[in-house]
Amino acid sequence: MPLDWCQMSRQLRKTGVSKFEEAAELLSVDPGASTLSMSASNTTTVAAGEGRGGGEEVKLDLSEDEEGQEESSELLGGQKAAGGFWTFEYYQSFFNVDTVQVLDRVKGSVMPLPGRNFIKHHLRSNPDLYGPFWICVTLVFSVAISGNLSVFLSQMGNPSFHYRPQFHRVTIAAVVIFLYAWLVPIGLWGFLTWRQGAERQIGGYSFLETVCVYGYSLFIYIPTSVLWIIPLEWVRWTLILIAMLISGSVLVLTFWPVVRDDTKVMAVATVAMIVVLHTLLAIGCKMYFFQIAVHSPTPAPTAPPAHITLATQPH
């Protein structure tokens, strides 16, 4: 009958022990001339020195535990090669962040400090698309829903007003916000790359880092859009100024170190364009989604004047 696996493993281990004893005897005779080498087939070769007649070798099979340790060390030490852009692994690296990192980046986007670059102090060469994507999605729904509630509250006392949910505003908000969060970083990254080639001293960020900064800079507009429900214009404009100041500071503090080595005119023009586009987005969302329609009260219908006809009787 053929041997089962347990018996075969015991025989292999006995063979390894006997060969190990033979190698130990060779080493005890001439320890200075012995060498150890690892072959590709997970075997250990102990070669005796030339003084023993040269060339007697003993091969030892690695045990199961040693093989497992070797395989685990290879998995831990080696890095998995990234696939092409058509594979899932390629895009998985863009979302390789945890909750602590996302919260730290959100905190950095709402509390910009002078001298603290958002990319260098918060991204640390590990930009992500997880935070920017969900920030844009949340902002789309917060702007659209808050805009509908704002219209409803502002017209609550109007008896001629009939509320109808405006679902098309979700689509408009999604188009505007996602185009801004992608097209503007693409244009800025392309411009900075071109200036980096024209002016050698100009540094630059990667495309993913640029998109990441713009995405996190929009987070402050989420609570701001919710507070825009308050039907007071001075409150809304105060909130929008505060949000633009915080969000714009993140962008200026991040991109100014990159463009300041360029010519003075080009550096100022680049920063001014960043601020203008950011301001247009904020004011445009406020004017479109939170506009207050002023309805003049309709005058009450009045009865037409009565015409009195006086009849004269002949005398």
Side-chain angles (χ1 to χ4, degrees), residues 1 4 39 48 74 80 88 106 111 152 164 170 194 199-201 203 212 221 227 255 259 277 285 292:
M1 292 182 60
D4 56 1
S39 64
E74 291 178 356
K80 191 174 182 179
F88 179 77
V106 169
M111 291 189 301
F152 174 77
R164 294 180 179 177
V170 178
W194 170 67
E199 300 288 339
R200 294 300 180 183
Q201 69 271 18
C212 189
Y221 289 107
L227 294 177
F255 291 102
V259 301
L277 292 177
C285 289
I292 297 179

Side-chain angles (χ1 to χ4, degrees), residues 3-76:
L3 297 176
D4 56 1
W5 288 105
C6 294
Q7 294 176 351
M8 293 177 63
S9 61
R10 291 193 189 99
Q11 289 182 357
L12 290 175
R13 292 184 180 179
K14 290 180 180 178
T15 304
V17 171
S18 62
K19 292 183 177 180
F20 180 78
E21 292 176 352
E22 294 178 2
E25 292 178 358
L26 294 175
L27 292 174
S28 61
V29 175
D30 191 4
S34 62
T35 57
L36 293 176
S37 62
M38 296 293 296
S39 64
S41 59
N42 292 333
T43 59
T44 303
T45 302
V46 181
E50 295 180 356
R52 287 279 301 175
E56 184 179 357
E57 296 181 354
V58 178
K59 296 183 178 180
L60 299 180
D61 296 332
L62 293 176
S63 63
E64 296 177 358
D65 296 337
E66 292 174 347
E67 291 178 356
Q69 292 177 359
E70 184 178 357
E71 292 177 358
S72 63
S73 63
E74 291 178 356
L75 292 176
L76 293 175

Side-chain angles (χ1 to χ4, degrees), residues 15-247:
T15 304
V17 171
S18 62
K19 292 183 177 180
F20 180 78
E21 292 176 352
E22 294 178 2
E25 292 178 358
L26 294 175
L27 292 174
S28 61
V29 175
D30 191 4
S34 62
T35 57
L36 293 176
S37 62
M38 296 293 296
S39 64
S41 59
N42 292 333
T43 59
T44 303
T45 302
V46 181
E50 295 180 356
R52 287 279 301 175
E56 184 179 357
E57 296 181 354
V58 178
K59 296 183 178 180
L60 299 180
D61 296 332
L62 293 176
S63 63
E64 296 177 358
D65 296 337
E66 292 174 347
E67 291 178 356
Q69 292 177 359
E70 184 178 357
E71 292 177 358
S72 63
S73 63
E74 291 178 356
L75 292 176
L76 293 175
Q79 295 182 354
K80 191 174 182 179
F85 67 92
W86 59 87
T87 61
F88 179 77
E89 290 78 8
Y90 178 80
Y91 298 97
Q92 187 178 8
S93 61
F94 300 153
F95 297 85
N96 188 21
V97 288
D98 54 17
T99 305
V100 177
Q101 291 176 333
V102 174
L103 292 178
D104 178 70
R105 296 171 185 185
V106 169
K107 181 181 177 182
S109 67
V110 297
M111 291 189 301
L113 298 175
R116 291 184 65 86
N117 190 311
F118 184 83
I119 292 179
K120 294 181 178 179
H121 291 84
H122 297 282
L123 298 187
R124 297 183 179 90
S125 301
N126 184 28
D128 69 287
L129 294 180
Y130 179 85
F133 174 77
W134 286 111
I135 287 174
C136 291
V137 171
T138 307
L139 182 60
V140 166
F141 286 98
S142 66
V143 168
I145 295 174
S146 299
N148 283 320
L149 290 177
S150 174
V151 174
F152 174 77
L153 293 177
S154 63
Q155 300 296 331
M156 188 182 300
N158 187 7
S160 61
F161 175 74
H162 300 283
Y163 175 74
R164 294 180 179 177
Q166 300 177 349
F167 295 104
H168 67 279
R169 291 193 171 188
V170 178
T171 304
I172 296 175
V175 171
V176 172
I177 291 174
F178 275 96
L179 285 180
Y180 173 82
W182 281 93
L183 291 184
V184 175
I186 288 175
L188 180 60
W189 172 76
F191 175 77
L192 294 178
T193 303
W194 170 67
R195 293 302 300 174
Q196 184 179 5
E199 300 288 339
R200 294 300 180 183
Q201 69 271 18
I202 302 299
Y205 301 130
S206 65
F207 170 70
L208 191 60
E209 290 174 339
T210 307
V211 173
C212 189
V213 172
Y214 266 85
Y216 279 102
S217 67
L218 296 176
F219 177 81
I220 189 62
Y221 289 107
I222 296 176
T224 303
S225 62
V226 176
L227 294 177
W228 279 344
I229 300 177
I230 301 174
L232 295 175
E233 280 296 295
W234 68 270
V235 174
R236 293 178 177 177
W237 284 110
T238 302
L239 292 173
I240 197 173
L241 289 176
I242 296 174
M244 286 191 302
L245 179 62
I246 295 175
S247 185

Side-chain angles (χ1 to χ4, degrees), residues 244-314:
M244 286 191 302
L245 179 62
I246 295 175
S247 185
S249 298
V250 175
L251 298 177
V252 172
L253 293 175
T254 301
F255 291 102
W256 174 250
V258 178
V259 301
R260 66 183 176 185
D261 293 331
D262 202 347
T263 60
K264 185 176 181 180
V265 175
M266 190 63 66
V268 174
T270 303
V271 174
M273 185 59 63
I274 293 173
V275 174
V276 168
L277 292 177
H278 204 66
T279 303
L280 289 177
L281 174 70
I283 295 179
C285 289
K286 192 274 174 192
M287 297 297 294
Y288 180 80
F289 295 99
F290 298 90
Q291 57 183 349
I292 297 179
V294 179
H295 295 274
S296 59
T298 56
T302 57
H307 296 281
I308 301 176
T309 303
L310 298 178
T312 59
Q313 296 181 352

